[in-house]
Amino acid sequence: MSQLAARHRLVPRLGRFAWLMALYSENHARITRLFPVRDLMPGRWVSDVGDGLPLVVDVMGQHPYTSEMRLSYAIPDPVTGEPDPSAYLRLYHDARQLEATHCYVGRRWQDVIGLNPTPQRLLGHRMRMNTFLGKWLQYLAERGHGEASLRFEGAIPATEREIDVENA
């Protein structure tokens, strides 16, 4: 029994923050296998693999060390008109991290975690968002989305250009 306890203590524990950083790293690897994000000029890109669900990749901004973008389908939520699902992403090129800053999957963040979430609740929400993002990116790769299916559509419509943090 003491050997089992001793062996259990030798296994390092991964805290929630470390787990979140690992998710960011995995998601960076997934998106860079899909698209050459750093090389995409700002604007609307569409990846269509013929399955009836074209993926909209809005590159909101390119900066020396980061890219800001939104992934969504061209399917509006019938109540809000927002693309559903959608995820606002920040890609850190130097740190090789991809963070989902906001997601819209049928509900806004305020409805999910409240207006004044505790740090633990906020961290849990970030973990769920980035887990969702990882699964979505894996699904997109399995469906055949990638650089070959990506085409430039033009500028992002003015009504969708800014990230609306209050409603995202």
Side-chain angles (χ1 to χ4, degrees):
M1 183 79 160
S2 63
Q3 289 177 342
L4 181 62
R7 202 176 320 158
H8 181 58
R9 275 181 279 177
L10 294 177
V11 176
R13 293 191 55 194
L14 191 59
R16 292 178 65 162
F17 182 73
W19 188 272
L20 182 61
M21 293 297 105
L23 278 174
Y24 288 177
S25 182
E26 288 175 15
N27 289 342
H28 178 274
R30 284 185 172 116
I31 201 157
T32 54
R33 280 193 300 265
L34 278 174
F35 308 116
V37 177
R38 192 174 226 172
D39 299 332
L40 300 178
M41 63 189 222
R44 176 155 290 169
W45 296 79
V46 176
S47 175
D48 194 350
V49 294
D51 62 356
L53 283 173
L55 178 70
V56 178
V57 181
D58 287 333
V59 178
M60 313 291 244
Q62 291 284 18
H63 312 287
Y65 301 105
T66 60
S67 296
E68 294 175 293
M69 55 197 302
R70 178 179 64 189
L71 293 182
S72 64
Y73 290 118
I75 303 171
D77 181 294
V79 176
T80 65
E82 295 284 325
D84 186 16
S86 66
Y88 288 93
L89 312 176
R90 186 171 297 126
L91 186 121
Y92 300 93
H93 301 290
D94 55 342
R96 295 189 173 153
Q97 302 277 302
L98 175 64
E99 172 188 24
T101 59
H102 298 85
C103 286
Y104 182 81
V105 185
R107 299 188 300 169
R108 301 187 187 293
W109 67 267
Q110 299 94 328
D111 299 329
V112 177
I113 60 172
L115 292 176
N116 296 309
T118 63
Q120 293 84 3
R121 191 163 183 170
L122 185 60
L123 184 60
H125 180 65
R126 290 212 172 267
M127 288 177 68
R128 284 188 303 279
M129 279 193 310
N130 285 281
T131 299
F132 160 77
L133 174 62
K135 290 180 180 189
W136 192 13
L137 292 172
Q138 184 176 345
Y139 171 79
L140 294 172
E142 290 168 0
R143 298 296 300 163
H145 289 280
E147 186 175 1
S149 63
L150 198 62
R151 71 180 184 284
F152 186 68
E153 291 280 310
I156 300 168
T159 57
E160 300 177 40
R161 210 170 286 147
E162 293 297 317
I163 295 177
D164 187 357
V165 173
E166 187 175 312
N167 294 319

